Amino acid sequence: MSSEFDIIRRYFTRPTHRAILGIGDDAALIPYTATADLAISTDTLVSDQHFFADTDPGKLGHKALAVNLSDMAAMGAIPRWVTLALTLPANLANRNSSWLEVFMDGFFTLASKYEVELIGGDTTCGPLNISVHIIGEVAKGKALKRSGAMPGDDIWLSGYLGNAALALAHLQQRITLKPDELTVCLAALDAPVARIELGQRLINLAHSAIDISDGLLADLGHILECSQVAATIHLGKIACSGVMQRYLPLSVAVDCLLAGGDDYELCFTAPVIKRSEIAQLSQELSIPLTRIGTISQGKGLFLLDVNDNTITHEKKGYDHFLT
Ligand code: ADP
Ligand code: MG
């Protein structure tokens, strides 16, 4: 079976001539004005694949936009415009159904927070599928890319990983969370917060960045591949939420932490000289920013336990075609 990324490489990746950056990053980049580039990205949510069909529509509206905002954050871009392609089962579009109203309320509430404008889309009838295309602006030549990591860079993470995956594990009966823990984890799953301001503030600080949508190991792996470098990360240095701390070192919890996905936190690399500025930024934005490891020359992602022993973790992240 081919992986999602084998498919992308084999069938879609072609040289680009008028883009600054094509396939392979969180967004493509094209020239816009004398001082700005455009960052462009698409993300789709498929019923029963990315969400349960009975998910609250307001939360879905929020999430459909949030996951796209997250790709703008990963590029350091200011989100500006979106289009929305909706495929809807007929019953949800029925006049007696409030589904669309509640869905768009969730969507527009988040859009207005960032002054993002809905400028087009497509509406069709069929199994529920939500696709958002987003366009943002970024200072010319300044976008954060997956390809900029340098040997010696620190590897940083924003926020806490794994809570969304813990909620999913609970819903799939792979773990049983207490009611208050479930509330916390469901909030992470249903209402992710894109790190828009952080992304923009990392320009001139970070060498590379990615948002964690598929799992830390998989997504950091993309930085390593694009930058042609290796990394060592320390399991014990990854900041954990209170709930996560309670369930580690259960293997299902370690999976959620390292390879769960749906986190929408930023993983970025930055030179050692920027440590104090990044610590200051963390204070200013009230977002935990934690150093979890180092970039080095070579190839591979090495994971160390609290005693600095190398450990292997088979599951790297979510892949639509391998999972
Ligand atoms: P992300 O997780 O940041 O949304 P993906 O992992 O989904 O990014 O995609 C990796 C790269 O492959 C991105 O640059 C994306 O634009 C590109 N890509 C994915 N699917 C296609 C496709 N069908 N055609 C062209 N490019 C694609
Ligand atoms: Mg992304």
Side-chain angles (χ1 to χ4, degrees), residues 190-264:
D190 291 335
V193 178
R195 299 300 194 184
I196 289 293
E197 192 172 4
L198 173 63
Q200 287 164 30
R201 297 288 298 273
L202 287 176
I203 284 180
N204 295 330
L205 284 179
H207 278 157
S208 69
I210 190 167
D211 70 318
I212 303 181
S213 52
D214 294 333
L216 172 64
L217 298 183
D219 287 323
L220 176 56
H222 294 315
I223 287 189
L224 303 185
E225 202 182 317
C226 292
S227 303
Q228 300 279 290
V229 289
T232 303
I233 58 173
H234 301 261
L235 188 54
K237 289 191 181 170
I238 301 175
C240 291
S241 68
V243 182
M244 180 60 78
Q245 280 172 27
R246 264 170 261 155
Y247 288 90
L248 287 175
L250 277 186
S251 72
V252 56
V254 180
D255 264 358
C256 289
L257 182 69
L258 296 177
D262 247 357
D263 296 300
Y264 305 103

Side-chain angles (χ1 to χ4, degrees), residues 44-66:
T44 300
L45 298 184
V46 179
S47 185
D48 293 327
Q49 196 44 252
H50 295 93
F51 59 89
F52 296 100
D54 61 353
T55 301
D56 175 275
K59 288 174 177 159
L60 263 186
H62 170 102
K63 187 162 178 175
L65 180 57

Side-chain angles (χ1 to χ4, degrees), residues 256-292:
C256 289
L257 182 69
L258 296 177
D262 247 357
D263 296 300
Y264 305 103
E265 293 294 348
L266 296 185
C267 176
F268 59 95
T269 77
V272 172
I273 195 168
K274 301 292 186 185
R275 277 183 192 174
S276 60
E277 268 180 87
I278 293 170
Q280 212 176 320
L281 183 61
S282 167
Q283 293 258 321
E284 199 185 316
L285 300 181
S286 300
I287 299 173
L289 297 178
T290 319
R291 260 187 304 124
I292 62 162

Side-chain angles (χ1 to χ4, degrees), residues 146-198:
R146 296 176 179 180
S147 58
M150 313 264 285
D153 276 3
D154 292 318
I155 303 168
W156 292 83
L157 264 186
S158 70
Y160 304 117
L161 303 183
N163 275 7
L166 281 174
L168 184 64
H170 176 95
L171 297 173
Q172 294 173 335
Q173 298 173 349
R174 289 184 281 118
I175 199 170
T176 306
L177 302 176
K178 299 197 182 92
D180 59 322
E181 297 169 342
L182 182 60
T183 305
V184 170
C185 292
L186 277 177
L189 182 67
D190 291 335
V193 178
R195 299 300 194 184
I196 289 293
E197 192 172 4
L198 173 63

Side-chain angles (χ1 to χ4, degrees), residues 4-5 8 12 22-26 43 71 146 211 213-214:
E4 186 181 330
F5 296 97
I8 293 170
F12 307 136
I23 290 173
D25 216 303
D26 292 292
D43 252 315
D71 280 322
R146 296 176 179 180
D211 70 318
S213 52
D214 294 333

Side-chain angles (χ1 to χ4, degrees), residues 28-39:
L29 295 170
I30 60 170
Y32 180 38
T33 63
T35 55
D37 297 322
L38 289 183

